[in-house]
Amino acid sequence: MSAAADVAPGVEEGRIAPCSGHALELEPGDELVVIDPMGEQVSDLTAFARADTAEYLSSGRSIDYAARLWLTTGDVLYSNRSRPMFSILEDSCGRHDFTLTPCSKEMFEKLYGENPGRPGCEGNLAAALAPWGIGRDRIPVAFNIFMRVEMDPASGRVSVLPPLSRPGDFVRLRAEMPLVVAMTACSAGQSNNFSYKPIDFRVERAGRAARLAMGRQG
Ligand SMILES: [Zn+2]
């Protein structure tokens, strides 16, 4: 499981243990930094609007509006209702996937012959989101941070390759609405070059930035 600790007023840091997930709430303006501490690890991230969890992070909308498969700094991640959920403020890696569903028990069984399959990111996202009443059937295509998916332009065949992320690479996302966000340290060896590693995160609360701007500490 994960650990989260206050390191400074308005800042929370945590480590998501290998093959697990974590969820937290964000307010508009809060910034979430997702970090690959050791390199070549994937974090599947999804989010729901807290005002109505029928509104979720949409791969299809986000790719459609960006007119690109590979989203990076300056791009916006949209909900199924076409409203901005996140802005990507920084991206030191530059290569992520937003097309494949999170690894799952059935995927491990169908593609990789595990019996029984492990819960995967799908099960870990659902477990993390259970306190918000969100179950496995509602886990959409995730923003698969650091995941590298190649497509052969002639045949359309897709393949999952080791991430390009190096130790310390990160993505900084700004929340654009009140959200519950869940993320994982991916369980699929094919996604992380069989190196099942943790994922780190940091949350910088918007209220903290406002206080610092006003010259007050804490
Ligand atoms: Zn996964």
Side-chain angles (χ1 to χ4, degrees), residues 63-161:
I63 289 172
D64 200 358
Y65 298 142
R68 258 183 307 116
L69 284 173
W70 300 338
L71 305 186
T72 185
T73 307
D75 285 322
V76 172
L77 307 185
Y78 286 90
S79 75
N80 57 316
R81 295 176 181 168
S82 296
R83 300 197 302 158
M85 288 191 131
F86 293 103
S87 298
I88 305 178
L89 300 184
E90 291 182 85
D91 174 11
S92 71
C93 176
R95 188 59 183 273
H96 318 284
D97 173 69
F98 208 177
T99 64
L100 299 184
T101 50
C103 60
S104 67
K105 179 179 189 297
E106 290 76 10
M107 189 213 76
F108 285 123
E109 292 169 357
K110 285 178 184 292
L111 295 185
Y112 304 131
E114 291 188 15
N115 188 19
R118 292 168 291 139
C121 289
E122 183 182 74
N124 291 331
L125 289 169
L129 288 164
W132 288 268
I134 295 164
R136 203 161 80 99
D137 287 340
R138 294 176 58 198
I139 303 299
V141 173
F143 185 48
N144 303 312
I145 297 174
F146 308 124
M147 187 175 183
R148 181 178 164 205
V149 175
E150 294 284 358
M151 187 190 73
D152 177 67
S155 67
R157 182 177 176 80
V158 293
S159 45
V160 178
L161 298 177

Side-chain angles (χ1 to χ4, degrees), residues 200-211:
D200 288 350
F201 65 90
R202 185 167 68 247
V203 180
E204 299 173 11
R205 298 289 177 186
R208 173 178 178 270
R211 285 193 298 274

Side-chain angles (χ1 to χ4, degrees), residues 2-4 12-14 16 21-27 30-34 45-48 50 86 128-129 132 175 178-183 201-205:
S2 60
E12 299 151 33
E13 289 185 346
I16 302 171
H22 183 67
L24 52 86
E25 294 189 346
L26 296 174
E27 303 299 335
D30 287 353
E31 294 179 11
L32 170 65
V33 186
V34 181
L45 179 146
T46 190
F48 296 80
R50 296 215 311 280
F86 293 103
L129 288 164
W132 288 268
L179 295 170
V180 53
V181 57
M183 53 201 157
F201 65 90
R202 185 167 68 247
V203 180
E204 299 173 11
R205 298 289 177 186

Side-chain angles (χ1 to χ4, degrees), residues 44 103 121 186-188:
D44 286 14
C103 60
C121 289
C186 182
S187 308

